[in-house]
Amino acid sequence: MKKGILLTILLLMCLVAGAQTKSMAVLGDSYSTFEGAIPEGNAIWYFKQNNPNQTDVNSVDQTWWTLLTKRQRWTLLMNNSYSGSTICNTGYNKADYSDRSFTKRMDNLGGNPDVIFIFGATNDSWAHAPIGEFKYENITKDDLWSFRPAMAYMLGWMKEHYAKSSIYFLLNDGLSQEVTESSKTICEHYGVKCIELQAIDKKAGHPSVKGMQQIADQIVEALK
């Protein structure tokens, strides 16, 4: 009897240890930025001393990814987020965003994380980037200027190059119907779980302290 209890305890300890050693990476836009927490040179939305009219988030401990890593006992390997970035190469006012797009940054996630969260498509929607056609094969460089083929290219590439990683796509609420439905369709095609966020509290269009907590809560619930 005692031997059985001891084996059970050892098993539980192994499970906890496994959870503690998981590594996580984020590929995102402004919602996932914070001063000092992203690669140098990437544009930032959240700073240590923010304008209170812009946001009440003033600590990295309040961000959704920090809240998540603490709750899951994971280690953040890399947060490659860039404020204002689009998944495709077309940015605001049809500007060339090929230097900051998700397809440009997706190969820099710190190695081989166990879990990857892609939090994007918000700026593709807000910038009214070309939606393009659904395309899953023979995607060209020219195709990457439109949302659908760029999204497909990104997920296909990441599924291949991060084959051992669990990949999740975080879908913001309040986006255009075309971007929302296209994101879900492309995620389904590649077998990537799409976590569709609901009723996130925001200030100046970005998650507040409450919104960050809601994001972390909804991710944890989806992971169950």
Side-chain angles (χ1 to χ4, degrees):
M1 181 69 175
K2 289 183 179 179
K3 186 176 180 180
I5 294 174
L6 180 59
L7 286 172
T8 300
I9 293 173
L10 288 172
L11 177 60
L12 289 172
M13 289 176 66
C14 288
L15 290 173
V16 171
Q20 290 175 331
T21 55
K22 270 193 175 182
S23 60
M24 179 184 115
V26 177
L27 179 63
D29 51 31
S30 58
Y31 280 34
S32 305
T33 62
F34 196 88
E35 183 181 5
I38 60 176
E40 186 176 353
N42 285 14
I44 306 167
W45 174 268
Y46 293 101
F47 291 86
K48 296 173 184 177
Q49 294 184 339
N50 273 304
N51 181 343
N53 294 321
Q54 176 175 300
T55 182
D56 56 353
V57 177
N58 53 32
S59 169
V60 72
D61 292 330
Q62 297 170 318
T63 61
W64 69 266
W65 71 90
T66 299
L67 295 169
L68 181 63
T69 53
K70 288 182 176 179
R71 287 178 65 172
Q72 298 296 103
R73 298 183 178 180
W74 291 346
T75 299
L76 182 64
L77 193 62
M78 166 68 81
N79 180 352
N80 194 335
S81 295
Y82 197 121
S83 182
S85 62
T86 45
I87 289 177
C88 71
N89 288 336
T90 304
Y92 289 89
N93 300 314
K94 309 304 179 185
D96 181 349
Y97 274 25
S98 59
D99 63 336
R100 70 201 71 177
S101 67
F102 280 56
T103 57
K104 170 69 174 179
R105 294 178 288 115
M106 64 187 178
D107 63 347
N108 182 15
L109 294 181
N112 295 292
D114 296 307
V115 184
I116 299 173
F117 290 99
I118 308 167
F119 199 168
T122 296
N123 290 300
D124 296 84
S125 178
W126 290 357
H128 304 291
I131 195 72
E133 301 297 326
F134 289 109
K135 190 174 183 181
Y136 302 110
E137 296 179 355
N138 302 316
I139 298 173
T140 67
K141 289 184 178 180
D142 288 341
D143 290 325
L144 298 182
W145 296 88
S146 299
F147 175 71
R148 283 172 176 163
M151 171 93 169
Y153 179 77
M154 175 184 69
L155 292 188
W157 189 94
M158 292 183 71
K159 288 284 286 186
E160 179 182 352
H161 290 81
Y162 299 109
K164 295 183 179 180
S165 304
S166 297
I167 302 175
Y168 300 89
F169 187 83
L170 305 180
L171 181 60
N172 193 14
D173 59 341
L175 303 186
S176 69
Q177 183 176 357
E178 277 189 320
V179 168
T180 297
E181 295 305 318
S182 296
S183 297
K184 292 191 287 187
T185 297
I186 297 167
C187 282
E188 184 177 3
H189 177 87
Y190 287 102
V192 171
K193 183 174 177 61
C194 181
I195 301 176
E196 192 171 2
L197 302 174
Q198 303 291 333
I200 301 302
D201 187 71
K202 299 170 185 173
K203 195 170 185 177
H206 291 70
S208 61
V209 169
K210 179 181 178 181
M212 291 289 190
Q213 184 66 64
Q214 290 173 319
I215 293 171
D217 289 343
Q218 291 182 32
I219 293 173
V220 170
E221 186 62 30
L223 293 177
K224 292 179 181 178

